[in-house]
Amino acid sequence: MFDLPDVATLRQCSILCSAAYTVVFFAMGAGGSWYRYWGWGAFSYCASLILAGLIGEPLPLWTLVLTDGVLSFSMALVLAGVRRFDGERGFVPWMWIVVAVTAVVPSVALTVVGAGAVAAAVWSLTMALSSFALAVPLIRNRATDGTARPRRLAGCLLSLYAPVYLTVAVGALVTQQLAQLLEAIPYLADQLLFGAANLALLWIPTARAQQQLRDTALRDPLTGLGNRAALAAGAAELLVPGRVALLIDVDRFKTINDRHGHAVGDRVLVAIADALRRSTGGDFVARLGGDEFLVVTDADDPTTAAEQIHRRAGRSEAGLPPWTLSIGAARIEPGDRSIDDVIQRADMLMYRAKDRGRTAAAA
């Protein structure tokens, strides 16, 4: 079996790892202030280990307060960096309270009961509670920008320090021999948790950037509606028998562009898109290209759905030239094999509406 490394060796490994991440985060600092928060977090952890190693055991009371406070501060900086990433203030009062309690409580215990198993257990328990308290907001996050998973991963890894410190606390109260054996456990866990947690932090900005790229690829840049790529991506979910697909075309849109210019034509398309978005609620709305839009809705009756959209999106707005819409509404049938089949039927119905003299709906 492998021999368990001594505490000094493990501490040196933690120092080297935290120093490496300090360099990485500060090197990326130009990309956002959150990197500097995480860089100071890694630096603070590294500094607390170096200070404890240089002074040696037992630590003087003032040194214990300082190192414990800096250790908790390094964990708080992880959460503060994520808050800055969200555009919020890094530190809030309760975080400072956690840091202050972590710095003071072990020293108070040492002063009251003296050095020994109880003081060691109090130190480990305080560290466990500190790491868990600072990890909970990350674990319970409700981010919708694609970063929920890396945030939870970073929080879970940070929270795993809690059972590690709790194990040391229990060992300190059982026997001195067991306490000495478990002394290396936090540093041993550090070799996995510290590096993995920092990699999770680096994943957060990358995850948001990837989500933004996906959103951009699936959005029409003019109207903000979904595009054909979004239709292709959600085709399987949209193809539900009983739903209604409505194909909407702006009548004589070329004339609007020719008479008023393309900038005004774009404003008309945006106004129609906004009206469709408001009138359909949570239904799927996309601009398929040019002056053609698609709505997939759970409406019961195709004719009623078409007429409702016609009333709400077919009305001109102040400051814009008048426009009219032709709409074709087709119900999704159990035998439809693709959403394209439904759109094709809606397209035929839309042209039937145009044949009626435009400004009409057909279902």
Side-chain angles (χ1 to χ4, degrees):
M1 292 295 293
F2 297 107
D3 293 330
L4 185 66
D6 59 85
V7 172
T9 300
L10 290 172
R11 181 188 289 124
Q12 291 168 8
C13 291
S14 294
I15 290 172
L16 292 174
C17 183
S18 55
Y21 276 104
T22 299
V23 173
V24 169
F25 284 131
F26 278 122
M28 301 177 71
S33 61
W34 48 90
Y35 288 116
R36 294 190 290 275
Y37 273 79
W38 296 335
W40 283 114
F43 174 80
S44 299
Y45 183 59
C46 181
S48 68
L49 295 177
I50 292 175
L51 182 61
L54 289 176
I55 296 177
E57 299 289 346
L59 292 175
L61 193 62
W62 69 269
T63 308
L64 184 62
V65 173
L66 179 61
T67 55
D68 290 347
V70 171
L71 184 58
S72 180
F73 182 62
S74 70
M75 292 187 285
L77 280 165
V78 171
L79 178 58
V82 175
R83 289 178 56 85
R84 287 298 302 140
F85 180 74
D86 291 333
E88 301 175 352
R89 185 174 60 178
F91 281 87
V92 289
W94 73 265
M95 295 168 64
W96 289 115
I97 292 173
V98 170
V99 173
V101 169
T102 306
V104 172
V105 169
S107 298
V108 171
L110 183 63
T111 303
V112 173
V113 302
V118 174
V122 170
W123 181 89
S124 297
L125 180 60
T126 304
M127 288 299 167
L129 294 175
S130 175
S131 60
F132 184 75
L134 294 167
V136 167
L138 295 173
I139 297 173
R140 298 183 61 187
N141 84 89
R142 296 293 185 269
T144 58
D145 58 353
T147 64
R149 288 177 60 195
R151 291 171 194 244
R152 290 194 186 104
L153 178 59
C156 288
L157 290 167
L158 185 60
S159 70
L160 286 177
Y161 279 101
V164 170
Y165 283 121
L166 286 175
T167 301
V168 176
V170 172
L173 295 174
V174 176
T175 64
Q176 183 65 26
Q177 184 178 4
L178 182 60
Q180 292 176 348
L181 180 63
L182 295 178
E183 185 182 3
I185 296 299
Y187 293 107
L188 194 60
D190 210 27
Q191 311 313 307
L192 170 65
L193 299 180
F194 185 84
N198 281 295
L199 288 175
L201 294 179
L202 289 171
W203 184 14
I204 292 175
T206 303
R208 176 181 285 181
Q210 290 175 336
Q211 182 66 45
Q212 290 173 339
L213 287 174
R214 285 193 292 267
D215 290 343
T216 300
L218 299 177
R219 293 289 169 188
D220 172 55
L222 176 63
T223 64
L225 298 178
N227 55 17
R228 284 191 175 274
L231 174 62
E237 298 176 0
L238 293 174
L239 195 65
V240 177
R243 285 183 173 177
V244 176
L246 302 108
L247 197 63
I248 303 156
D249 186 81
V250 185
D251 297 325
R252 299 184 179 90
F253 183 68
K254 184 177 184 301
T255 302
I256 295 176
N257 276 335
D258 292 343
R259 289 182 179 177
H260 303 277
H262 288 279
V264 173
D266 287 347
R267 289 172 57 196
V268 169
L269 293 175
V270 171
I272 294 172
D274 291 341
L276 289 174
R277 193 183 289 111
R278 291 193 302 268
S279 64
T280 57
D283 297 329
F284 177 82
V285 185
R287 180 189 177 203
L288 299 185
D291 58 345
E292 195 170 69
F293 298 87
L294 173 71
V295 173
V296 180
T297 177
D298 291 324
D300 295 329
D301 179 59
T303 302
T304 302
E307 291 175 350
Q308 180 181 1
I309 288 180
H310 202 278
R311 287 195 304 270
R312 296 183 179 180
R315 297 183 300 177
S316 300
E317 294 186 3
L320 294 175
W323 69 81
T324 59
L325 304 176
S326 293
I327 305 174
R331 187 180 295 280
I332 300 177
E333 304 294 344
D336 289 324
R337 304 184 66 179
S338 73
I339 195 68
D340 291 334
D341 295 339
V342 185
I343 294 175
Q344 186 175 11
R345 291 202 305 274
D347 187 57
M348 295 173 61
L349 291 166
M350 181 193 67
Y351 278 101
R352 185 182 301 174
K354 286 184 178 294
D355 291 340
R356 293 177 182 173
R358 306 178 190 270
T359 317

